[in-house]
Amino acid sequence: MNMIENGVINHQFDWLMQPDYRIDSSGHLIINTQPDTDFWQRTHYGFRRDNGHCLLANQTQDFCMSVKTEYHAKMQYDQAGLYIRVDSDNWIKTSTEYENERHSRLGSVVTNHGYSDWATIDIEGSVSEMWYKIQSKNQLKDYLIEYSTDGMDWRQLRITHLHKDSRSIKIGIYACSPMSSSFEVKFSHFQVGDTMWL
C-alpha cells in the first residue's frame, strides 16, 4: 500500500488534524506542522494532548510499515515519524524529538489505557534524516520498532504490546510541534506490506 499515488494521496488514507501540506514532483509528502500539536497522555506531565497531524489508513492484519523522514526542526520536541492508533488512549509513535543543537532523542512512545511512556536514546542534534519501521505480530498485539540511517541497516528500538483488543487499527505517518513553533518535514519511501517479524 502506497501513501501517494499519481501525485495525490491514496484514497485509503485520511487525515487526523490535517496540516498545511504539498506533494512535490517526486511524489513526496511535505508537511508544515502547526504549533501546540502533540500526542501524549497523562504520565509525568499530567496533561493530555491528542491533536498531532496524522495521515492514516485502516489495517486489519499484521504488517510491516516503513518511511524515511527529512526534517528541519526548530524548537524543542518537534517530531515526525510513524504512528499506530487504536483510539486516543491506545497508540504508538516513533520519531526523533528535537531537543537542542547538541542532541535529540530518538525513540518511541507507547500509550496503553491512557498512560504514555517514552523510551529514548540520545543522538546528535544535527541529525535531520531518519528511517523508521514498525512490524506487528500476534494479530496486531505485539510490535517491533526499528530505525535506520540508510534504509538498509536496521536497529531495534523496542518490542512492545498494545493491551486494548482491536481487530482493526489505523497506521501511517505523523508530525507535530508541541511548543509554539512550526517546522517542515518530508516523508518518502513509505511502504506497507506483510510482516517479516518471525
Side-chain angles (χ1 to χ4, degrees), residues 15 21 39 110 122 128 159 162 165 173 176:
W15 286 107
Y21 75 92
F39 290 108
V110 178
D122 285 355
S128 61
I159 293 174
L162 283 177
D165 187 26
I173 56 93
C176 56

Side-chain angles (χ1 to χ4, degrees), residues 40-138:
W40 186 266
Q41 292 290 350
R42 295 186 176 91
T43 306
H44 177 56
Y45 304 105
F47 61 74
R48 306 182 69 180
R49 292 272 186 90
D50 190 51
N51 66 345
H53 309 298
C54 295
L55 185 60
L56 305 173
N58 290 324
Q59 184 71 22
T60 58
Q61 61 186 15
D62 286 321
F63 64 91
C64 175
M65 172 175 62
S66 59
V67 75
K68 179 185 180 183
T69 61
E70 300 173 59
Y71 50 93
H72 305 282
K74 294 180 179 178
M75 194 170 287
Q76 188 180 30
Y77 305 133
D78 283 351
Q79 58 193 265
L82 292 175
Y83 188 80
I84 294 171
R85 183 180 179 92
V86 178
D87 54 32
S88 61
D89 286 337
N90 301 273
W91 47 264
I92 296 170
K93 66 179 181 180
T94 183
S95 63
T96 298
E97 298 197 20
Y98 180 74
E99 280 289 326
N100 54 51
E101 293 179 354
R102 297 185 305 277
H103 74 278
S104 292
R105 292 196 166 104
L106 168 65
S108 59
V109 174
V110 178
T111 299
N112 279 302
H113 302 313
Y115 288 87
S116 298
D117 72 36
W118 188 21
T120 67
I121 56 175
D122 285 355
I123 62 173
E124 295 293 325
S126 60
V127 173
S128 61
E129 297 183 7
M130 191 65 67
W131 296 70
Y132 305 97
K133 181 190 290 182
I134 302 178
Q135 298 188 74
S136 71
K137 66 187 297 186
N138 296 328

